[in-house]
Amino acid sequence: MAWTDERVEQLKKLWNDGLSASQIAGELGGVTRNAVIGKVHRLGLSGRTKAGGTVSRNRPQRAPSQTPRSKRQDIGGIVGNTALKISPDANPETLPQPRPRKFEELVIPISERATIMQLSEYTCRWPIGDPMDDDFHFCGRKTEDGVPYCSYHRKVAYQAVSDRRRDKKVSAA
């Protein structure tokens, strides 16, 4: 549907009268609400008079907090979720530290090292080194059927759910 001069003038009049885009689309017929909004935008008709007065909303007053100010926790301007934030007056030395996992680096003989072309479903796919270096390789040790890592690298890669929960509690406390 093309916008004729008469329809554009009618659109301007209805817009200035305060009708909504849906109402104008209904009056004009053969045009959608979105088409009316687009035409209003292209014509620059953003400023319009409102039909009727402004509607004032009477919002109920919020009751003051029942907890006295001295009992409330002062979060010192921190915005958002504060569950895992450390308070500014906390001493870092007294905070519980997560236990570091100690794994000695596994020494892999040159004969067992594997390139990407030598990997199979029975070889460990643990990458060792920087892929941009010439001595980059994969572990290449024997694995159990359907497991991507050898027993040593499986211990490094996987962590029991109970261990993860315990470590999270220690670091959050």
Side-chain angles (χ1 to χ4, degrees), residues 40-61:
V40 165
H41 179 71
R42 287 188 300 276
L43 291 172
L45 300 178
S46 59
R48 67 186 215 180
T49 60
K50 297 198 183 278
T54 59
V55 178
S56 65
R57 296 181 186 173
N58 293 329
R59 295 184 181 179
Q61 292 288 339

Side-chain angles (χ1 to χ4, degrees), residues 119-127 138-140 143 147-150:
L119 293 178
S120 70
E121 65 180 284
Y122 302 107
T123 57
C124 178
R125 299 180 188 96
W126 188 267
F138 294 89
C139 173
T143 64
V147 180
Y149 303 126
C150 64

Side-chain angles (χ1 to χ4, degrees), residues 1-14:
M1 193 246 87
W3 286 99
T4 62
D5 290 339
E6 295 83 28
R7 290 176 68 88
V8 170
E9 289 304 317
Q10 188 178 6
L11 166 70
K12 288 179 183 179
K13 179 191 174 303
L14 294 172

Side-chain angles (χ1 to χ4, degrees), residues 100-108 126 128 141 150-153 155-156:
R101 300 212 180 267
K102 295 189 178 186
F103 290 101
E104 292 185 21
E105 187 58 41
L106 181 65
V107 178
I108 301 166
W126 188 267
I128 299 174
R141 298 174 75 205
C150 64
S151 61
Y152 174 81
H153 287 121
K155 289 176 187 174
V156 175

Side-chain angles (χ1 to χ4, degrees), residues 4-169:
T4 62
D5 290 339
E6 295 83 28
R7 290 176 68 88
V8 170
E9 289 304 317
Q10 188 178 6
L11 166 70
K12 288 179 183 179
K13 179 191 174 303
L14 294 172
W15 184 257
N16 288 331
D17 289 345
L19 270 66
S20 70
S22 297
Q23 293 168 331
I24 294 171
E27 289 282 327
L28 293 175
V31 66
T32 65
R33 169 187 167 272
N34 287 339
V36 170
I37 292 171
K39 190 64 175 176
V40 165
H41 179 71
R42 287 188 300 276
L43 291 172
L45 300 178
S46 59
R48 67 186 215 180
T49 60
K50 297 198 183 278
T54 59
V55 178
S56 65
R57 296 181 186 173
N58 293 329
R59 295 184 181 179
Q61 292 288 339
R62 285 192 343 181
S65 175
Q66 300 300 323
T67 308
R69 176 76 177 154
S70 60
K71 299 276 186 182
R72 284 185 266 163
Q73 182 183 15
D74 184 16
I75 57 174
I78 296 175
V79 178
N81 188 350
T82 60
L84 299 178
K85 296 197 182 200
I86 298 172
S87 66
D89 57 339
N91 185 357
E93 295 169 356
T94 61
L95 292 175
Q97 300 296 323
R99 293 181 297 128
R101 300 212 180 267
K102 295 189 178 186
F103 290 101
E104 292 185 21
E105 187 58 41
L106 181 65
V107 178
I108 301 166
I110 295 174
S111 61
E112 290 184 20
R113 295 179 183 180
T115 64
I116 195 162
M117 299 302 290
Q118 295 169 328
L119 293 178
S120 70
E121 65 180 284
Y122 302 107
T123 57
C124 178
R125 299 180 188 96
W126 188 267
I128 299 174
D130 185 357
M132 300 303 287
D133 290 343
D134 290 335
D135 63 342
F136 175 75
H137 58 279
F138 294 89
C139 173
R141 298 174 75 205
K142 298 274 188 232
T143 64
E144 297 175 16
D145 192 24
V147 180
Y149 303 126
C150 64
S151 61
Y152 174 81
H153 287 121
R154 194 170 41 245
K155 289 176 187 174
V156 175
Y158 300 117
Q159 195 179 70
V161 174
S162 61
D163 291 344
R164 286 194 306 247
R165 287 184 182 146
R166 182 182 60 239
D167 289 346
K168 191 182 288 186
K169 285 180 185 177

